[in-house]
Amino acid sequence: MQIKDRTYIISGGASGLGRAVVEDLCKGGGYVAILDINPELAEAFVKNIGDGKTKFFETDVLESDSIAKSVEGAVLWAKETGKDIGGVIAAAGVGNPTKILDRKGNAMAMDSFDFVMNVNLRGTIDLIRQVLPHMAKTTPIGEDGERGCVIMVASSAAFDGQPGQVAYSASKGAIASLTLPMTRDLAPHGIRVVTIAPSMFETRMTAALSEKARASLLKVVEFPVRGGKPAEFASLVKHSIENVMLNGVVLRLDGGTRMPSKM
Ligand SMILES: NC(=O)c1ccc[n+]([C@@H]2O[C@H](COP(=O)([O-])OP(=O)(O)OC[C@H]3O[C@@H](n4cnc5c(N)ncnc54)[C@H](O)[C@@H]3O)[C@@H](O)[C@H]2O)c1
């Protein structure tokens, strides 16, 4: 799918990995609707870009109605600019580490589990589900008749989750697992699906990691021995959008990292 003159809808676009994607897509001539729960971060960011190619829609991906209102706004904006919807990138996510049984013998609260699953998994599916009918109505382009691209964000924790990541791994493992069936559902519409599974990337989410945790994670990186940069994630999103042969795949973006059990 081309980036130039298409509108991309991205959740979690106010910070971290999502924000880097917004910057890249705008540089490539794309238009980006940023759906995020954090208006302070998003509004300052949109003002900073300031070229009319981004628009912020305050959204809580936990609420179907909130997503519906924002998707409606984004679709209207795309009609006004004449730039069809070309893709949806679901990058909103939360960590919230909690052991299923803590040192004192307390079991994990289901509220904590539900919160992570609802933002990372339900919120991802709900956003994509609501964008798809609009994407499927766009005029197909190129020799393959492509209509658009869905990008989801899993994690290394989908494969080798660490202590405290039962909920997070469950949410990200589900994203990885549903990539193929979603691809099969959407192929007749000319829509592709790519999931990216990053290891530790330098964002607000990982800024809170202790030095000990960071050092132990870096010990298991093969090469390069550092956290990933959001721009490196954005670069893979851009390639995934542009390369029509990438479909139904979970791409690990991790410098060869396999996460350890103990910190
Ligand atoms: N940073 C990493 O090391 C890493 C590794 C693997 C996967 N990921 C995944 O990448 C995605 C982006 O994470 P990040 O590192 O950029 O984190 P981040 O905290 O910098 O950004 C997350 C964004 O999601 C938004 N958000 C959170 N809850 C929301 C909600 N209910 N509704 C709407 N927006 C909401 C936040 O406001 C924020 O802008 C997440 O899905 C995360 O699980 C991150």
Side-chain angles (χ1 to χ4, degrees):
M1 173 50 63
Q2 72 183 42
I3 287 169
K4 191 170 182 313
D5 293 337
R6 292 267 139 174
T7 300
Y8 290 86
I9 297 179
I10 175 162
S11 68
S15 171
L17 303 184
R19 185 180 173 120
V21 173
V22 175
E23 285 170 339
D24 241 24
L25 295 182
C26 286
K27 263 188 226 150
Y31 285 64
V32 189
I34 301 172
L35 278 56
D36 203 287
I37 202 171
N38 190 323
E40 289 81 29
L41 272 181
E43 275 159 9
F45 177 42
V46 168
K47 206 167 156 195
N48 195 25
I49 294 187
D51 59 359
K53 284 192 176 160
T54 51
K55 194 159 177 165
F56 170 58
F57 299 89
E58 187 169 345
T59 314
D60 183 352
V61 298
L62 289 171
E63 304 289 340
S64 289
D65 289 351
S66 171
I67 296 175
K69 209 168 143 223
S70 297
V71 169
E72 196 185 313
V75 168
L76 193 67
W77 180 52
K79 283 207 177 106
E80 282 163 14
T81 59
K83 315 296 177 194
D84 269 350
I85 306 289
V88 54
I89 299 128
V94 291
N96 201 28
T98 313
K99 286 192 176 175
I100 192 155
L101 191 66
D102 73 13
R103 280 191 189 160
K104 291 180 185 157
N106 301 308
M108 172 176 67
M110 281 315 286
D111 282 355
S112 164
F113 181 79
D114 290 344
F115 173 63
V116 175
M117 292 298 280
N118 285 339
V119 176
N120 295 358
L121 178 58
R122 191 181 188 284
T124 291
I125 296 305
D126 200 359
L127 171 70
I128 293 167
R129 172 189 82 88
Q130 296 201 44
V131 172
L132 282 171
H134 302 286
M135 203 188 289
K137 279 190 208 128
T138 58
T139 307
I141 59 169
E143 60 173 304
D144 299 301
E146 195 181 9
R147 285 205 174 83
C149 186
V150 174
I151 309 278
M152 294 184 287
V153 189
S155 164
S156 296
F159 314 107
D160 20 74
Q162 297 191 287
Q165 288 195 314
V166 164
Y168 188 72
S169 290
S171 69
K172 297 302 187 177
I175 298 287
S177 292
L178 63 84
T179 301
L180 185 59
M182 190 189 284
T183 304
R184 291 173 168 169
D185 285 351
L186 295 179
H189 301 275
I191 297 171
R192 292 181 295 114
V193 183
V194 173
T195 293
I196 300 175
S199 55
M200 187 184 71
F201 272 59
E202 302 296 349
T203 68
R204 255 181 359 136
M205 186 178 272
T206 48
L209 279 177
S210 68
E211 274 314 308
K212 190 177 160 213
R214 180 175 294 274
S216 95
L217 283 173
L218 290 180
K219 250 191 245 160
V220 292
V221 183
E222 295 301 329
F223 180 86
V225 184
R226 59 171 172 79
K229 298 175 186 169
E232 291 162 340
F233 174 84
S235 160
L236 186 55
V237 170
K238 185 167 176 278
H239 184 75
S240 302
I241 292 171
E242 289 177 332
N243 191 330
V244 73
M245 281 304 285
L246 272 177
N247 196 9
V249 68
V250 180
L251 301 170
R252 295 187 75 135
L253 187 66
D254 60 12
T257 304
R258 297 296 177 266
M259 307 258 259
S261 167
K262 302 276 186 293
M263 290 290 195

